[in-house]
């Protein structure tokens, strides 16, 4: 009986998630009316709750653990309150982002409950704490006007925080990532990367905007000195991460800075120089660190080293291939065969048991979030906040790409979590902060003096 329930639910889940994903993109079209958008977002909420119930019922019939049903009810209450906070308190919050954040956490709670129920409970508790802690952030972002004046505060916090991890941090899989405070483990880089975006935006938003596309650079000009200082401080962040052997986050910091620098200056020569420096640095890191060479070898031919360094990637590929299009069904696969499956390789577990179509829909939901981040970066007028939205969007997109690339053997694995889906309190909290900041930017675009007619004409695709 349990097998039949799980077997049938595979197709229901794929069908519902496909509709949800379609609405994510269809609602972004410029010609869609506000009423039609609201209808789509309400349908997304209904689909999300249906998927939540379906996933938890599958786990319950497979495990007979009554606490799964209690956990399901707790999730429904949590998501209802979370949506109520944003939709009632923040008039101009993005419904699409709220729905996507809750949907991604729904999938996270379900797959973690299937892998390790204790971890799912911990993740849920951190989500509740995160919602309480971040529900004030949109108001702070939209109302306070001091954020662009704190650039050296951001720099000092970032460098000292990363240096602290380098000195006293605990080593996890060859890299210094965490600081242990008794029973609590914190990964400071997850939060510092957001502070880093604020630093870069505060440094670069004052650059002149004339003759930006010229290749020529005046090495005596004020804007060049400003770029040089920003690059030096950004380089210190990346260097400390490299010394800590946290190469995944080093890549995230580096590429986020490159994108923000190019958009702020529009000088192709800056882009060429930074990319060339990145390439040279990558080669040096390969020869300096043995564990980097090991991961590259595992990436190039994991099957030849399946008994050793290639085991994790090989098991990930086996899991994704075994799941096929519709998956084996929740609790019917063997995702526990993949090392660190609940963190770095959670996408492989999802693809194995829920299927490749479900996994593709998950990727497209992440892409729709990225589109909304970049959309607000294009629409917002203030250059500082434009760079904030661009930087956070780049940060999010690079992290998703690195995670999925490592799981699918597209790039070497770097030990980066999938935002809102992978297990990890620091990752979850930092991503909730990121989404809350973006919500604050949405609210900031619509000041209290705009009347309803202005809002209609200034409508941002996917904003409500």
């Amino acid at each position: 009986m349990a097998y039949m329930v799980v077997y049938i639910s595979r197709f229901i889940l794929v069908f519902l998630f496909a509709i949800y994903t379609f609405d994510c993109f269809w609602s972004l079209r410029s010609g869609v009316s506000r009423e039609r958008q609201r209808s789509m977002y309400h349908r997304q909420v209904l689909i999300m709750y249906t998927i939540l119930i379906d996933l938890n019922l599958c786990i319950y019939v497979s495990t007979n653990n009554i606490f799964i049903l209690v956990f399901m009810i707790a999730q429904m209450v949590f998501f209802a309150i979370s949506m109520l906070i944003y939709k009632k308190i923040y008039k101009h919050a993005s419904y699409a982002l709220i729905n996507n954040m809750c949907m991604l956490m729904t999938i996270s709670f379900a797959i973690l409950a299937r892998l390790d129920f204790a971890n799912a409970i911990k993740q849920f508790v951190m989500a509740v704490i995160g919602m309480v802690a971040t529900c004030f952030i949109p108001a702070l972002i939209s109302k306070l006007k001091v954020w662009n004046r704190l650039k050296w505060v951001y720099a000092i916090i970032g460098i000292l925080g990363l240096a602290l991890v380098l000195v006293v941090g605990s080593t996890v899989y060859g890299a210094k990532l965490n600081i242990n405070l008794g029973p609590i483990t914190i990964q400071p880089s997850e939060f510092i990367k957001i502070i880093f975006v604020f630093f870069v935006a505060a440094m670069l938003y004052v650059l002149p905007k004339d003759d930006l596309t010229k290749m020529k650079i005046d090495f005596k000009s004020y804007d060049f000195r400003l770029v040089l200082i920003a690059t030096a401080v950004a380089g210190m962040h990346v260097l400390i991460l490299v010394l800590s052997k946290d190469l995944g986050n080093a890549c995230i910091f580096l590429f986020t800075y490159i994108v923000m620098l190019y958009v702020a200056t529009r000088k192709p020569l800056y882009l060429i120089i930074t990319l060339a420096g990145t390439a040279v640095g990558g080669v040096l890191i390969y020869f300096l660190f043995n564990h980097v060479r090991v991961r590259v070898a595992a990436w190039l031919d994991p099957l030849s080293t399946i008994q050793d360094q290639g085991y994790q990637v090989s098991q990930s590929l086996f899991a994704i291939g075994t799941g096929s299009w519709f998956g084996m069904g929740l609790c019917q696969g063997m995702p526990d065969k993949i090392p660190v499956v609940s963190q770095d390789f959670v996408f492989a577990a999802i693809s194995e048991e829920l299927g490749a179509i479900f996994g593709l829909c998950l990727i497209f939901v992440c892409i729709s979030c990225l589109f909304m981040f970049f959309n607000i970066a294009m629409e917002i007028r203030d250059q500082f906040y434009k760079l904030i939205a661009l930087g956070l969007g780049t940060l999010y997109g690079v992290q998703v790409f690195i995670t999925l690339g490592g799981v699918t053997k597209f790039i070497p694995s770097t030990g980066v979590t999938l935002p809102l889906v992978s297990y990890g309190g620091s990752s979850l909290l930092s991503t909730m902060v990121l989404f809350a900041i973006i919500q604050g930017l949405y609210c900031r675009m619509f000041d209290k003096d705009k009347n309803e007619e202005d809002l209609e004409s200034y409508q941002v695709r996917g904003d409500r």
Side-chain angles (χ1 to χ4, degrees):
M1 180 63 181
Y3 176 77
M4 288 301 299
V5 171
V6 173
Y7 181 84
I8 295 172
S9 73
R10 299 182 311 156
F11 304 101
I12 297 174
L13 289 170
V14 168
F15 176 72
L16 291 175
F17 202 20
I19 295 175
Y20 180 96
T21 306
F22 175 81
D23 285 345
C24 284
F25 290 91
W26 193 257
S27 63
L28 297 178
R29 296 173 64 249
S30 58
V32 179
S33 66
R34 290 175 60 191
E35 292 73 18
R36 178 59 175 162
Q37 279 186 334
R38 288 183 180 274
S39 175
M40 289 182 181
Y41 297 148
H42 291 156
R43 181 168 64 189
Q44 283 187 324
V45 173
L46 179 62
I47 290 174
M48 186 201 73
Y49 279 117
T50 306
I51 290 176
L52 187 155
I53 294 171
D54 193 336
L55 289 170
N56 283 275
L57 287 179
C58 287
I59 300 174
Y60 171 70
V61 299
S62 300
T63 63
N64 291 319
N65 184 356
I66 192 65
F67 290 106
I68 293 294
L69 300 182
V70 178
F71 185 46
M72 177 184 71
I73 296 172
Q75 291 178 62
M76 296 175 72
V77 173
F78 167 69
F79 290 133
I81 294 175
S82 301
M83 292 179 181
L84 186 65
I85 289 174
Y86 277 101
K87 294 180 180 180
K88 298 300 181 182
I89 297 179
Y90 299 110
K91 181 180 178 182
H92 302 300
S94 168
Y95 286 9
L97 277 182
I98 300 168
N99 291 348
N100 285 354
M101 183 176 69
C102 292
M103 173 58 82
L104 292 173
M105 285 196 286
T106 294
I107 297 170
S108 173
F109 295 148
I111 198 66
L112 291 178
R114 181 266 179 268
L115 294 170
D116 188 333
F117 187 59
N119 283 345
I121 296 297
K122 292 179 184 177
Q123 189 83 340
F124 178 74
V125 171
M126 292 305 300
V128 173
I129 295 173
M131 185 54 63
V132 173
T134 62
C135 65
F136 304 101
I137 289 179
L140 295 176
I141 294 297
S142 61
K143 301 300 181 183
L144 294 184
K145 300 180 180 180
V146 300
W147 303 112
N148 58 354
R149 306 172 191 171
L150 304 174
K151 52 180 174 291
W152 293 115
V153 175
Y154 303 140
I156 292 171
I157 293 175
I159 292 173
L160 291 181
L162 294 178
L164 183 64
V165 177
L166 176 62
V167 175
V168 302
S170 58
T171 302
V172 181
Y173 300 107
K176 286 191 174 182
L177 304 175
N178 306 321
I179 293 178
N180 296 323
L181 302 175
I184 301 175
T185 300
I186 301 175
Q187 187 173 351
S189 61
E190 291 289 344
F191 303 97
I192 292 174
K193 62 188 179 185
I194 296 176
I195 298 174
F196 177 77
V197 168
F198 274 77
F199 162 74
V200 177
M203 286 292 294
L204 299 182
Y205 86 103
V206 296
L207 292 178
K209 303 301 180 291
D210 54 332
D211 294 330
L212 294 177
T213 58
K214 290 184 177 180
M215 291 286 286
K216 183 180 178 181
I217 298 175
D218 183 359
F219 293 97
K220 297 182 180 180
S221 65
Y222 168 75
D223 59 309
F224 175 74
R225 293 197 300 270
L226 205 60
V227 168
L228 196 62
I229 294 171
T231 302
V233 176
M236 290 178 66
H237 284 77
V238 175
L239 178 61
I240 295 173
L241 287 168
V242 170
L243 293 176
S244 301
K245 299 182 181 179
D246 186 3
L247 301 183
N249 277 310
C251 291
I252 294 173
F253 276 65
L254 180 59
F255 284 104
T256 299
Y257 178 71
I258 290 174
V259 171
M260 294 181 71
L261 175 64
Y262 176 70
V263 172
T265 63
R266 300 291 178 87
K267 291 186 180 294
L269 191 55
Y270 284 144
L271 181 63
I272 294 171
I273 293 172
T274 51
L275 288 177
T278 300
V280 172
V283 174
L284 291 175
I285 289 171
Y286 174 82
F287 287 105
L288 286 175
F289 297 112
N290 179 65
H291 80 284
V292 175
R293 295 194 294 274
V294 169
R295 291 194 176 189
V296 171
W299 166 61
L300 291 174
D301 191 4
L303 293 179
S304 66
T305 57
I306 193 172
Q307 300 298 329
D308 192 8
Q309 58 262 34
Y311 180 78
Q312 188 178 37
V313 176
S314 298
Q315 290 297 325
S316 174
L317 296 176
F318 291 154
I320 295 172
T322 302
S324 190
W325 291 110
F326 293 96
M328 300 184 68
L330 208 55
C331 300
Q332 303 301 312
M334 295 186 294
D336 53 298
K337 298 293 184 181
I338 308 171
V340 204
V341 64
S342 62
Q343 298 176 19
D344 306 349
F345 282 75
V346 70
F347 182 77
I350 293 171
S351 298
E352 179 182 9
E353 298 201 333
L354 300 177
I357 297 177
F358 194 96
L360 287 172
C361 289
L362 175 61
I363 294 173
F364 281 116
V365 169
C366 294
I367 292 174
S368 73
C369 292
L370 185 61
F371 281 177
M372 284 183 279
F373 294 167
F374 287 157
N375 181 72
I376 191 174
M378 291 187 292
E379 294 287 350
I380 201 166
R381 298 176 182 179
D382 189 296
Q383 181 70 7
F384 172 71
Y385 292 102
K386 183 187 291 289
L387 287 175
I388 291 292
L390 173 75
L392 294 179
T394 304
L395 186 153
Y396 176 82
V398 172
Q399 183 165 343
V400 171
F401 172 78
I402 290 177
T403 305
L404 298 178
V407 171
T408 58
K409 194 186 163 295
F410 187 74
I411 60 175
S413 174
T414 56
V416 176
T417 56
L418 185 60
L420 294 175
V421 181
S422 296
Y423 174 69
S426 295
S427 175
L428 177 65
L429 286 177
S430 67
T431 308
M432 293 180 74
V433 170
L434 188 154
F435 272 68
I437 293 172
I438 295 296
Q439 292 286 12
L441 296 181
Y442 270 100
C443 294
R444 189 180 181 86
M445 282 202 307
F446 300 97
D447 59 59
K448 60 183 179 181
D449 296 325
K450 284 189 172 71
N451 58 36
E452 196 64 31
E453 184 179 50
D454 293 331
L455 291 176
E456 182 72 28
S457 63
Y458 192 62
Q459 179 183 2
V460 179
R461 273 69 63 193
D463 60 341
R464 294 184 293 282

